[in-house]
Every structure is written in structure tokens, then in C-alpha cells.
Amino acid sequence: MIIRDAKLTDVESILKLWKELMLVHGNLDPIFEISEDGEEKFRSFLISNINATVEKVVKVAVVDGSTVGYMMGIIKQNPPVFKMTQFGEIMDACVTANFRRQHIGERIFAEMKQWFSQKGITRLDVNAAAKNPVSMKFWQKMGFQPYLNHMYSYLP
Ligand SMILES: CC(C)(COP(=O)(O)OP(=O)(O)OC[C@H]1O[C@@H](n2cnc3c(N)ncnc32)[C@H](O)[C@@H]1OP(=O)(O)O)[C@@H](O)C(=O)NCCC(=O)NCCS
């Protein structure tokens, strides 16, 4: 297995993984349902992230020429009231179903951590869906802990 930076030629295979990720979440909670042009919008977002190598990172795991997992991250500015001026965020993480529990996610994350560290980042955040026990367990194993409860309420 190779873990490497994503290239523009990876876009369609990452898109497949993103759809898998969104399907998992859409089945858990309707808040994650994607719009009709969601896929097109994500494609453009992904392409701009692959090209923006200063503050964005996209890593893929490739096994026998197939892209089986990816993660995407960003460097964010903290509101100016805080001592820490910037932090990293993992935006997306997916390993395709047949390849899970083989430490591929862990290995992609190791490369992500290295990328952020090289940029001088000392804190990483991740948004893990409250109804997704797998991602909660995975991120906890990767050393994350909650510090916010992100809540929502629909208005009548
Ligand atoms: C979350 C995800 C990326 C993890 O990838 P993975 O390659 O299967 O994870 P790893 O094999 O590297 O797991 C590392 C550790 O995390 C924990 N873990 C991972 N999946 C788990 C599961 N289903 N149940 C319990 N613990 C789990 C375990 O401690 C595991 O180590 P172990 O197998 O030695 O016990 C993958 O399950 C996935 O893509 N899920 C669907 C999409 C998703 O939920 N993405 C997260 C969005 S934030």
C-alpha cells in the first residue's frame, strides 16, 4: 500500500469514496442528505483543495493501483481572541468498506499528522458525527477527545 498526496487524476476515485462516506452518514441522520448538485459541488471543492497545497491537504491510500481511502484536511485561523492562532482540521476521512480494519485509516492519518506538523500546527480538530459510533471509536483511538457538543434544532 502507498499513501501519497492526491493528484487531479485521483478525483473520480476520491469522489466514489466521498459518496460512500456521505451514504454512511445519510443513513445515520437526514441532516447529512446531499443536494442534487452536491456531487458536482464537491468535485470542484476537491479539485481546489488538491491544488491548494499551502493550507489544504488531500492524501490517498492506494492498493494495487486502486484508491481505497482518503483524508482531506485544512489549516484554519482561530478567532483572534484565542492564544492559539491557527489549528488543523480533518474535513473528510473514508476507507472503502472492504478494506476497513486493516489500519489503512491509521496510516493515512499518520501522514496527515506529519503534513500538519511540518506546517507548525500543534492541534488538530475533527468533526465526528454523534450518531456514527465507528468514527467516534476511530478518532478516539487516534487520540482525539471531545471539547464541544455541536448541537442543532430545527425551527417550525
Ligand atoms: C472511520 C474509518 C475511516 C476508519 O478506517 P479504518 O482503516 O477501518 O480504521 P483502522 O483499521 O485504521 O482502525 C484503527 C483503530 O480504530 C478503531 N476502529 C476502527 N474501526 C472501528 C470499528 N468499526 N469499531 C471499533 N473500533 C474501530 C480500532 O481501535 C482500530 O484499531 P484495531 O483494529 O487494532 O482495533 C472507516 O471505518 C470509514 O471510512 N468508515 C465510514 C466513513 C466514516 O465514518 N468516516 C469517518 C468520518 S469522520
Side-chain angles (χ1 to χ4, degrees):
M1 182 180 63
I2 302 168
I3 314 281
R4 59 162 172 79
D5 288 324
K7 301 183 265 197
L8 291 175
T9 48
D10 297 313
V11 165
E12 294 313 313
S13 38
I14 297 173
L15 209 60
K16 263 191 177 173
L17 293 166
W18 175 77
K19 283 194 262 182
E20 199 174 327
L21 171 70
M22 295 312 286
L23 193 66
V24 167
H25 285 87
N27 286 336
L28 290 170
D29 193 328
I31 202 165
F32 295 111
E33 273 174 49
I34 58 171
S35 62
E36 268 184 27
D37 62 350
E39 188 177 333
E40 239 357 271
K41 290 280 191 305
F42 181 77
R43 182 185 274 107
S44 310
F45 178 62
L46 175 62
I47 290 170
S48 72
N49 289 352
I50 290 174
N51 286 328
T53 52
V54 175
E55 78 285 8
K56 310 256 182 71
V57 56
V58 188
K59 296 272 181 195
V60 287
V62 182
V63 174
D64 296 332
S66 295
T67 307
V68 299
Y70 84 106
M71 285 191 195
M72 190 154 72
I74 182 172
I75 296 175
K76 284 189 159 177
Q77 300 306 311
N78 223 1
V81 297
F82 295 115
K83 256 189 184 174
M84 184 172 274
T85 56
Q86 53 181 10
F87 63 97
E89 185 175 293
I90 306 291
M91 294 186 280
D92 282 10
C94 187
V95 171
T96 194
N98 290 343
F99 284 83
R100 288 181 197 152
R101 296 307 289 269
Q102 297 175 36
H103 295 276
I104 294 176
E106 191 170 22
R107 288 184 55 188
I108 307 173
F109 180 58
E111 296 290 323
M112 297 288 283
K113 278 196 288 191
Q114 203 179 355
W115 183 89
F116 281 111
S117 288
Q118 282 165 355
K119 301 273 181 182
I121 296 297
T122 55
R123 190 189 99 204
L124 285 182
D125 285 19
V126 67
N127 291 312
K131 291 184 182 167
N132 183 346
V134 171
S135 76
M136 297 293 268
K137 286 202 177 94
F138 174 74
W139 289 117
Q140 276 165 3
K141 188 69 194 286
M142 296 302 110
F144 287 74
Q145 54 183 307
Y147 74 100
L148 276 179
N149 284 324
H150 192 108
M151 299 167 84
Y152 70 89
S153 160
Y154 289 113
L155 301 180

